[in-house]
Amino acid sequence: MAEEKLIIPILASLDEPLGADKDSVITALAAKIAASGRADENKLVSDLLAREAKSATGMPGGIAIPHCRSQAVNTSVLAFARLKEPITFGAPDGPADLIFMIAAAEGQGQEHLQLLKKLAQKLVDKNFLAALRSVDSTEKAAQIIREAVSPAAPPVPTPAPVEKQKAAPRVTPEKAAPTSHAPLKPAKLRRKDQKTADEQDEYLVAVTSCPTGIAHTYMAADALLNKGKELGIPVHVEAQGSGHLEPLDPALIAGAAGAIFAHDISVQDPERFAQLPLVDVGVKAAINDPEKLIQEAIAKAKAPQATSASAVEPAKKAKISSWGGLIPKAVMAGVSYMIPFVAAGGLLIALGFLLGGYDVADPAQDISLNFSLWKLPDAGPFGEGKILTNRSGLPLYLGALLVFLGQTGMSLLVPALSGYISYGLAGRPGIAPGFIGGAISSIVGAGFIGGIVTGILAGIIANWLSTLKSPRWLAGMMPVVIIPLITTLLMGLLMLLLLGRPLAALMSGLQNLLNSLAGSSAILLGIAIGLMMCFDLGGPVNKAAYLVASAGLSQATDGAYEFMAAAMLSGMVPPLAMALSATLRPKLYSPAEQQSGKAAWLLGLSFITEGAIPFAATNPLRVIPSMMAGGAVTGALAMALGVGCRAPHGGIFVLFAYSNIFGALIALLAGVAVGAATVTFAKMNRKKPVAAKA
């Protein structure tokens, strides 16, 4: 059976010395998984440490759940360790002695995911944890875990009461459609002295989600579920994790007293809960103190303004109070959704230039629409500008096709940025107004600055409109017709009547500034770009610099190309510098860091700055300043040497898109050398160097 393959005795460790820190424990457990033939050790360690660097995996109660989804894993697997000396994994209540390592395989079916979810649910069961703390053999430990995740295991009480409650005359929690979180049927989880569903006056609905969607999502869900059972307040949870999602029944949501969002990523379709008092927190808050969240939600539901006549007010207040946090997250989400448009469009244009030459840009549409494989173009002239090209025939035609496709993709860059910013703030009702606003921004010349503004405006307006109470006969049309219509009208008028021209002037000024920079001013700009790209290794500051660089490519100016080159080359420095330092002086790094260093070579060459995160997570005060020094050198040299890049991504693999390949290599190598030397020197002079372990 699949659950028997999830953990076997050799994957369990009882009171063995696995190391003095969490990296060592993670490395040791990953080695056990690799020894069982289920994964490649080096890549698995790298992926686990990269996930650990994003957020701590320590949980209250002495538990840690290091986990990742990785291409290094061929069969989803779990390793377990009971530590004699607890190790700190970042939990608020202290170190952990029970370590559950979940390694999920990319692309495997839902069966393994369901097993992993069941384990996450058991981590809030005190009897389950007590059994593992007292077990005396690895065989018994593996058996306890297998039994806990067995699909045949009943979800607590018997199903007898369910049949009785299904006959209830009105819509109740028991009659609602099952959710993606299997044990979330309160009828199965009520106490003998608890009211039945028909007698129950209040219940709550909740959504939980985390970036990985395996462990924290379901632990938070079960913490809310179990605490609700204990308090006599049913909580129905929609766990938005990996795999198939079964949303909460709309009738169940409509009858709830309030809602809880415990999430680290955006909630899917949040407008479904717009009429409910809302408690909005991170996913770990639900794991650490579910009772506080339930009591807060009930308190909001019982507040005077939470009557049936004005039930939207608490939710509205909760949203407004978090604008300062929502807007930056929405902008980052917009940038993330925009990057595929930039990558696809920019790389297609770069490939088109490789085939058809740089002078194919202007006549690309003319050639693509008026010629074919059976009617190949000559060297021109093309269009009203009578443009001549250096190439002709099949290379020119294929190059024009690729450039035309890329230009089409790049033309959607600003609308996508605006649309997904608006989506991050208002959900689906904000998508259309955001895209339309981005298109307006492109037409009036406001560029990506206008796209950010229109996305925020559309999101705020659509969000506000979604909180307004509407008649029942109109409610169904609100998110589909009314909200997009009114939002587009208001946002469009604001852009065309008030904001469009000033934003266009600002964008034009920025372009002129980039094109006019030369000498010392260009070098200073390159230093600033390098510092930003290396400051947070793929975080908001890095993304802000990359957004300006990649969005500028659509302007097709020399200044924009040089900005892009400085950003891409600087972003390659951190992983390459850390890989070089770990290769030359391995004794300064832990075994886990040495493994990360091997993976960082390819990540750096591919322009994936996040490859340096495992190093920065363990020693940020030495690593980050060193990387910023290397990035500043690369950015300054790239600008000083006039290096330009027409591709938005690809790192060393798009050298053909650089206007000064020799200068690009000099700038990159110099920055990597400075970064590696600086971080090596910093590590050599710390008080207690880390000795390499076998």
Side-chain angles (χ1 to χ4, degrees):
M1 294 177 64
E3 67 271 15
E4 293 176 347
K5 298 178 182 178
L6 189 66
I7 181 170
I8 55 179
I10 65 170
L11 296 175
S13 171
L14 299 179
D15 305 324
E16 294 181 44
L18 300 182
D21 55 36
K22 66 177 182 179
D23 286 1
S24 300
V25 174
I26 289 173
T27 302
L29 289 179
K32 286 181 175 291
I33 292 175
S36 71
R38 290 162 167 78
D40 172 72
E41 181 178 352
N42 294 342
K43 183 66 169 62
L44 178 58
V45 170
S46 177
D47 290 344
L48 284 164
L49 293 177
R51 166 62 187 87
E52 193 74 21
K54 294 179 180 178
S55 64
T57 55
M59 295 287 107
I63 303 168
I65 46 170
H67 59 281
C68 72
R69 183 185 298 278
S70 175
Q71 293 181 350
V73 181
N74 54 59
T75 299
S76 294
V77 63
L78 181 140
F80 167 73
R82 185 181 69 199
L83 303 178
K84 188 174 183 180
E85 296 294 333
I87 298 294
T88 297
F89 274 77
D93 63 344
D97 64 325
L98 297 183
I99 315 299
F100 299 87
M101 176 178 286
I102 300 173
E106 290 279 8
Q108 280 207 323
Q110 299 301 313
E111 183 180 9
H112 283 83
L113 285 174
Q114 294 299 324
L115 294 173
L116 297 175
K117 294 173 186 177
K118 287 178 180 293
L119 173 68
Q121 294 161 13
K122 292 296 293 183
L123 297 183
V124 294
D125 185 337
K126 295 180 180 179
N127 293 330
F128 172 69
L129 299 178
L132 290 176
R133 285 191 168 101
S134 62
V135 71
D136 57 4
S137 71
T138 56
E139 290 79 6
K140 291 180 180 179
Q143 181 180 356
I144 290 171
I145 295 174
R146 283 200 301 269
E147 290 176 353
V149 301
S150 172
V156 186
T158 62
V162 178
E163 296 300 323
K164 178 181 178 181
Q165 290 153 0
K166 284 184 177 179
R170 63 183 179 88
V171 175
T172 67
E174 287 74 21
K175 291 177 68 177
T179 69
S180 61
H181 189 51
L184 299 183
K185 299 176 182 177
K188 294 184 180 181
L189 295 173
R190 63 180 177 86
R191 301 176 309 214
K192 292 182 179 180
D193 60 342
Q194 186 177 329
K195 294 180 180 181
T196 65
D198 287 338
E199 298 167 338
Q200 184 67 50
D201 296 326
E202 293 179 320
Y203 64 89
L204 299 174
V205 290
V207 176
T208 63
S209 65
C210 67
T212 305
I214 295 176
H216 294 71
T217 298
Y218 298 97
M219 290 184 70
D222 273 278
L224 290 170
L225 174 72
N226 293 336
K227 183 57 66 174
K229 173 192 173 186
E230 179 182 324
L231 298 174
I233 302 171
V235 181
H236 303 265
V237 187
E238 179 177 300
Q240 295 183 354
S242 299
H244 179 63
L245 171 65
E246 295 181 10
L248 289 171
D249 190 283
L252 189 69
I253 297 174
I260 299 172
F261 286 178
H263 62 118
D264 287 340
I265 60 175
S266 297
V267 171
Q268 299 179 31
D269 299 331
E271 64 274 7
R272 295 174 294 158
F273 306 86
Q275 302 301 314
L276 298 177
L278 175 65
V279 175
D280 194 339
V281 295
V283 69
K284 287 189 178 180
I287 300 173
N288 296 339
D289 197 350
E291 181 174 355
K292 178 181 177 181
L293 301 185
I294 293 173
Q295 298 289 12
E296 185 177 348
I298 291 298
K300 284 192 173 187
K302 292 181 177 179
Q305 64 267 37
T307 62
S308 58
S310 57
V312 315
E313 189 63 21
K316 181 179 178 182
K317 288 183 178 178
K319 290 183 180 181
I320 292 177
S321 66
S322 61
W323 279 129
L326 280 176
I327 290 176
K329 288 182 179 179
V331 172
M332 288 300 102
V335 173
S336 297
Y337 282 114
M338 179 203 75
I339 288 175
F341 290 86
V342 176
L347 291 173
L348 283 171
I349 291 174
L351 290 171
F353 289 155
L354 180 65
L355 291 175
Y358 290 125
D359 50 12
V360 75
D362 289 332
Q365 180 174 346
D366 184 11
I367 295 172
S368 298
L369 299 180
N370 295 311
F371 293 90
S372 68
L373 290 173
W374 298 271
K375 182 187 174 183
L376 295 173
D378 53 22
F382 300 101
E384 296 180 359
K386 304 299 182 182
I387 299 171
L388 292 171
T389 59
N390 292 325
R391 301 180 189 180
S392 61
L394 184 61
L396 177 61
Y397 179 63
L398 294 178
L401 290 179
L402 294 176
V403 170
F404 180 48
L405 288 172
Q407 289 172 340
T408 303
M410 292 294 286
S411 69
L412 298 173
L413 185 156
V414 175
L417 174 65
S418 178
Y420 286 112
I421 290 175
S422 181
Y423 173 73
L425 293 172
R428 284 188 296 179
I431 291 181
F435 267 86
I436 294 171
I440 293 173
S441 179
S442 296
I443 292 171
V444 302
F448 76 90
I449 295 177
I452 293 174
V453 172
T454 56
I456 294 173
L457 282 175
I460 290 175
I461 295 171
N463 187 300
W464 172 68
L465 290 173
S466 68
T467 65
L468 299 180
K469 187 177 181 181
S470 59
R472 183 174 295 276
W473 60 269
L474 188 61
M477 296 181 62
M478 287 292 289
V480 179
V481 179
I482 306 300
I483 294 177
L485 171 63
I486 297 177
T487 303
T488 301
L489 176 63
L490 295 177
M491 178 273 307
L493 290 177
L494 283 172
M495 279 296 292
L496 294 174
L497 297 178
L498 297 176
L499 301 176
R501 289 181 176 85
L503 290 174
L506 178 62
M507 190 67 190
S508 177
L510 177 60
Q511 294 168 13
N512 293 335
L513 176 64
L514 290 177
N515 289 326
S516 65
L517 289 175
S520 60
S521 58
I523 292 174
L524 289 175
L525 177 62
I527 292 174
I529 296 170
L531 292 174
M532 293 180 70
M533 291 299 296
C534 300
F535 173 71
D536 52 2
L537 307 176
V541 177
N542 170 285
K543 289 293 187 290
Y546 180 75
L547 168 62
V548 177
S550 57
L553 288 179
S554 61
Q555 307 302 323
T557 62
D558 290 339
Y561 295 146
E562 291 177 4
F563 198 121
M564 186 70 249
M568 179 139 62
L569 291 170
S570 299
M572 296 166 64
V573 167
L576 291 176
M578 294 309 307
L580 179 60
S581 178
T583 300
L584 296 179
R585 296 301 302 271
K587 292 184 178 181
L588 297 174
Y589 296 88
S590 68
E593 289 175 324
Q594 293 174 31
Q595 296 298 331
S596 296
K598 296 176 182 178
W601 285 112
L602 180 59
L603 296 175
L605 293 173
S606 303
F607 180 42
I608 301 176
T609 313
E610 290 84 349
I613 287 178
F615 301 94
T618 58
N619 203 341
L621 295 181
R622 288 182 173 84
V623 171
I624 291 179
S626 302
M627 297 306 100
M628 291 175 68
V633 169
T634 293
L637 284 175
M639 282 291 190
L641 297 173
V643 179
C645 182
R646 296 170 181 259
H649 215 292
I652 202 72
F653 301 105
V654 291
L655 270 181
F656 62 85
Y658 287 85
S659 59
N660 182 354
I661 295 177
F662 186 65
L665 293 175
I666 290 177
L668 178 61
L669 292 175
V672 170
V674 169
T678 305
V679 75
T680 301
F681 180 78
K683 282 180 168 288
M684 289 173 61
N685 285 275
R686 64 184 175 184
K687 294 181 180 179
K688 294 180 179 180
V690 176
K693 299 177 183 179

